[in-house]
Amino acid sequence: MPKLILTYLLFAFTFVISAQNKNTENELETLENLEQAETYLKKKASKKNKLIIFNEEKHKTILAKKLFKASVGSTEKTENEFEKIYYKVVEKTKTTYYRVAYIYLDGNRSNLKTINNYRESLINKYNNSSPFDFLAKRHSMAKNATRGGDSGWFSLNNNNSAFETLIINDKHDVNTVFSLDIPSESGYYVVLKTHEPKNISEIKVLKIVEPRD
């Protein structure tokens, strides 16, 4: 009898999980836009369920490439030993990104005359064939000095720093070196414009995780 009960409970659990997964697939099919996806996410409250932004420049996994090729509204499903994971593409956009390299000098450590002389010396070294990344690694006071001063790609958003905002509005040509001052933050820079602004594809993907039956 106990064995029979255990078998029944196992069958019932498997049936419930299977029905739950099928219901999830049906529910995902009804979602037509980002607002509906966000509402559904609140309904499916879980740390594993989330809205993810994939950036075509940053995300190069097999899954990401497959999602970029998929149409808005389509769903990809993956499985592991314990879970089924659904990825529904809910929005596709193109966002303009910017990228430079820079050497940061802290105005709290030197006066402006000293800083300007120092920057002029760095620009002269660059113009005389010293690689910019080498100069940044040796002279920049920013954390990204180890990356040769590379800013990485960044876009216009509500959290832009004063430096990023100035770069976004800058009109210099690629490979031009110039000085940039932010006196309110005691920040003084030597900037190399390394890239033209670039429109990069992004997708917003709803990720839903369910137990595997």
Side-chain angles (χ1 to χ4, degrees), residues 17 21 48 79-85 209-213:
I17 293 300
N21 288 332
K48 293 184 178 181
E79 297 184 30
N80 58 39
E81 187 178 356
F82 305 105
E83 298 171 326
K84 289 184 178 180
I85 308 169
V209 181
E210 298 284 3
R212 184 175 177 179
D213 51 83

Side-chain angles (χ1 to χ4, degrees), residues 18-28 40 43-44:
S18 179
Q20 182 183 27
N21 288 332
K22 190 65 179 175
N23 189 48
T24 297
E25 292 180 21
N26 294 336
E27 289 175 342
L28 288 174
Y40 183 75
K43 173 185 172 183
K44 289 278 189 178

Side-chain angles (χ1 to χ4, degrees), residues 194-206:
T194 54
H195 296 74
E196 290 286 3
K198 183 176 182 179
N199 291 325
I200 298 175
S201 295
E202 292 184 333
I203 52 176
K204 290 184 179 178
V205 177
L206 180 64

Side-chain angles (χ1 to χ4, degrees), residues 50-180:
K50 60 188 71 176
L51 196 63
I52 306 172
I53 298 177
F54 286 89
N55 179 298
E56 199 166 26
E57 190 69 30
K58 297 178 181 177
H59 301 102
K60 305 288 187 179
T61 63
I62 294 174
L63 172 63
K65 291 178 180 179
K66 185 180 292 187
L67 291 173
F68 273 108
K69 291 179 181 179
S71 59
V72 173
S74 61
T75 301
E76 293 288 337
K77 183 173 71 173
T78 64
E79 297 184 30
N80 58 39
E81 187 178 356
F82 305 105
E83 298 171 326
K84 289 184 178 180
I85 308 169
Y86 302 90
Y87 298 90
K88 183 178 178 73
V89 180
V90 294
E91 186 176 271
K92 283 190 175 185
T93 58
K94 280 187 177 290
T95 302
T96 303
Y97 277 79
Y98 306 82
R99 189 172 185 175
V100 297
Y102 63 87
I103 297 169
Y104 165 70
L105 302 173
D106 188 349
N108 292 313
R109 300 189 185 185
S110 301
N111 59 50
L112 184 56
K113 182 178 180 180
T114 301
I115 287 174
N116 283 335
N117 289 336
Y118 195 33
R119 287 195 292 188
E120 185 177 352
S121 171
L122 292 172
I123 292 173
N124 286 336
K125 287 179 180 179
Y126 173 76
N127 289 333
N128 285 297
S129 301
S130 290
F132 193 91
D133 61 344
F134 170 77
L135 295 173
K137 288 175 181 177
R138 292 198 63 181
H139 301 282
S140 181
M141 299 176 184
K143 291 181 180 179
N144 71 339
T146 56
R147 304 199 310 268
D150 183 18
S151 68
W153 291 105
F154 61 90
S155 63
L156 177 62
N157 57 63
N158 294 328
N159 299 313
N160 285 121
S161 65
F163 174 81
E164 290 174 338
T165 301
L166 289 172
I167 293 300
I168 287 169
N169 293 311
D170 177 72
K171 302 301 181 183
H172 283 93
D173 295 329
V174 171
N175 294 325
T176 301
V177 173
F178 57 96
S179 296
L180 189 153

